[in-house]
Amino acid sequence: MAYVRRILIEPHPMLHKAAKKMSALELKMPLTQQLIDDMLATMHAAPGIGLAAPQIGVGKRIIVVDVGEQPEPHVVVNPVLTEFEGEETAAEGCLSIPGKIGDVTRAQRCAVGGMTRHGKRFALQAEGLLARCFQHEVDHLDGVLITDKASNVRDAVVVPSDSQEEKDAKQVPI
Ligand code: NI
């Protein structure tokens, strides 16, 4: 059974704290497995395409990502990003900063390493939205929010026209 948890909203001190690495032993604990199930349920219910444990008040290095490109969402424990390539600026939202978006420049591609929820090695080459989402979630683990690095932070408003505002509104919070 998975439970939708309350997502912490900025300003909350927890969102600005670096999360701690999780040991393989800790990962096996039923409480941790429940936490991961709850993170997935919370992300999907929001709806969002990514969530980091600190966003539901747990200072551990666990992220979940689901940009709808694969059958199963990604769950990565102690994620490490390397091999950054390219650069892309795009509008980004965050579940902890509802109603706001900002333009964030990120690597176009990166490699994602870490552990699966079952303690196995996780490795993935990500690009585009998936790479952006991983970078956003790892930022959360370091206590960094889009408002720390975005330019032109603005309201995500819905306007029925082919305007910039409408494009902005299509952004799914990460
Ligand atoms: Ni976020």
Side-chain angles (χ1 to χ4, degrees):
M1 188 70 191
Y3 300 89
V4 174
R5 304 231 201 149
R6 191 169 61 88
I7 296 174
L8 301 183
I9 301 299
E10 172 73 348
H12 191 290
M14 188 78 204
L15 296 170
H16 298 273
K17 273 172 63 178
K20 293 197 168 67
K21 268 184 103 170
M22 169 144 288
S23 71
L25 199 68
E26 215 176 346
L27 181 57
K28 279 192 196 135
M29 290 166 61
L31 208 66
T32 306
Q33 293 297 316
Q34 180 70 53
L35 166 69
I36 292 169
D37 288 339
D38 292 355
M39 284 177 66
L40 290 166
T42 305
M43 169 180 68
H44 286 137
I49 58 173
L51 190 76
Q55 289 182 277
I56 56 168
V58 179
K60 291 291 177 179
R61 300 189 80 84
I62 305 175
I63 60 172
V64 295
V65 168
D66 187 358
V67 297
E69 285 175 358
Q70 64 285 323
E72 292 289 318
H74 294 295
V75 176
V76 191
V77 179
N78 302 334
V80 176
L81 305 182
T82 54
E83 297 169 39
F84 297 101
E85 278 177 53
E87 208 177 78
E88 204 167 59
T89 303
E92 220 175 277
C94 177
L95 293 173
S96 292
I97 312 172
K100 295 279 180 193
I101 56 167
D103 298 325
V104 185
T105 302
R106 301 211 184 259
Q108 213 274 323
R109 288 175 295 281
C110 65
V112 186
M115 262 193 301
T116 69
R117 65 181 297 171
H118 305 297
K120 302 263 192 296
R121 182 174 169 267
F122 180 96
L124 179 81
Q125 299 287 332
E127 66 170 88
L129 181 61
L130 185 61
R132 173 171 296 274
C133 193
F134 274 111
Q135 291 169 78
H136 179 114
E137 299 316 330
V138 172
D139 272 355
H140 273 301
L141 300 183
D142 295 328
V144 173
L145 298 177
I146 55 169
T147 37
D148 295 317
K149 44 173 65 175
S151 59
N152 188 22
V153 175
R154 56 200 184 272
D155 291 334
V157 288
V158 185
V159 176
S161 69
D162 193 21
S163 60
Q164 182 62 40
E165 283 83 0
E166 193 191 27
K167 284 181 208 142
D168 288 351
K170 282 184 190 142
Q171 289 295 321
V172 179
I174 304 183

